[in-house]
Amino acid sequence: MLPGLDVAQPNKADEESMEMGGKAYHIFAIISNIQEWTPQEIVAWYNGRCGKGESIHSILKSDLAGGQLPSKRFGANAAWWEITVLAHNLHSLLVLLALPGDLKGARFKRLRFQFINVPARLVQHARQCVVRYFHEGTLSIIESIRTNLRVLIPI
């Protein structure tokens, strides 16, 4: 136990602070399961990620409909939130591994309007199903993404 944080002083234990040498210190801990990193690397990573949690939460609620819960039942809402988080993780993987350079920082809404809400025709012929895009730019971006994803598939 740290000096100054014992049971006899419950107010300091609740405040997560202590006094040493006439100075008050705020106490917190970083717990990690990353064994390959040194403690200095873990602290540097922790300090470098500031502000990301709020932006991710905003994306989950705004872009991926995590803020509009579908039911009054807790289980249904929990499933909805899990699907939202899964969609965010898949989007993050797509951005990291497959998107071309100009779309690396694109949010889900931009990708939706660039790839999903585009005019196209679904053609079935000779036991094949083909998507024909009306915009040449969309086709080239999708071909680039497919090429990047093909590299990841082990043969």
Side-chain angles (χ1 to χ4, degrees), residues 113-128:
F113 285 114
Q114 186 127 17
F115 302 124
I116 298 171
N117 296 341
V118 294
R121 178 179 292 147
L122 189 63
V123 179
Q124 292 181 341
H125 180 70
R127 296 184 186 172
Q128 290 185 346

Side-chain angles (χ1 to χ4, degrees), residues 51-67 81 84-85 88 107:
K52 296 292 183 188
E54 289 82 7
S55 64
I56 290 172
H57 199 258
S58 172
I59 290 170
L60 286 171
K61 289 182 78 175
S62 302
D63 294 2
L64 299 172
W81 185 254
T84 303
V85 171
H88 180 267
R107 296 211 13 197

Side-chain angles (χ1 to χ4, degrees), residues 3 7 10 13 17 29 41 45-46 56 61 63 67 76 79 83-84 87 111 114 121-122 124-125 130 134 146 153-154:
V7 184
S17 63
E41 290 173 325
W45 170 82
Y46 179 81
I56 290 172
K61 289 182 78 175
D63 294 2
I83 291 169
T84 303
L111 296 180
Q114 186 127 17
R121 178 179 292 147
L122 189 63
Q124 292 181 341
H125 180 70
V130 180
F134 293 108
R146 291 185 69 185
I153 299 173

Side-chain angles (χ1 to χ4, degrees), residues 134-155:
F134 293 108
H135 297 292
E136 187 69 29
T138 303
L139 180 61
S140 64
I141 292 172
I142 290 178
E143 286 175 347
S144 170
I145 291 170
R146 291 185 69 185
T147 303
N148 292 341
L149 288 176
R150 246 186 242 117
V151 172
L152 300 174
I153 299 173
I155 298 175

Side-chain angles (χ1 to χ4, degrees), residues 33-39 41-42:
N33 61 353
I34 305 173
Q35 298 175 356
E36 297 83 25
W37 291 3
T38 65
E41 290 173 325
I42 292 173

Side-chain angles (χ1 to χ4, degrees), residues 14-90:
D14 289 341
E15 296 174 6
E16 299 176 351
S17 63
M18 63 182 284
E19 186 177 327
M20 288 178 62
K23 287 187 171 182
Y25 293 95
H26 180 75
I27 305 297
F28 68 95
I30 301 171
I31 300 171
S32 173
N33 61 353
I34 305 173
Q35 298 175 356
E36 297 83 25
W37 291 3
T38 65
Q40 292 81 11
E41 290 173 325
I42 292 173
V43 170
W45 170 82
Y46 179 81
N47 291 334
R49 67 175 192 82
C50 294
K52 296 292 183 188
E54 289 82 7
S55 64
I56 290 172
H57 199 258
S58 172
I59 290 170
L60 286 171
K61 289 182 78 175
S62 302
D63 294 2
L64 299 172
Q68 293 84 23
L69 299 176
S71 175
K72 63 181 179 180
R73 294 193 167 95
F74 180 77
N77 292 339
W80 182 261
W81 185 254
E82 288 295 324
I83 291 169
T84 303
V85 171
L86 178 64
H88 180 267
N89 289 339
L90 290 174

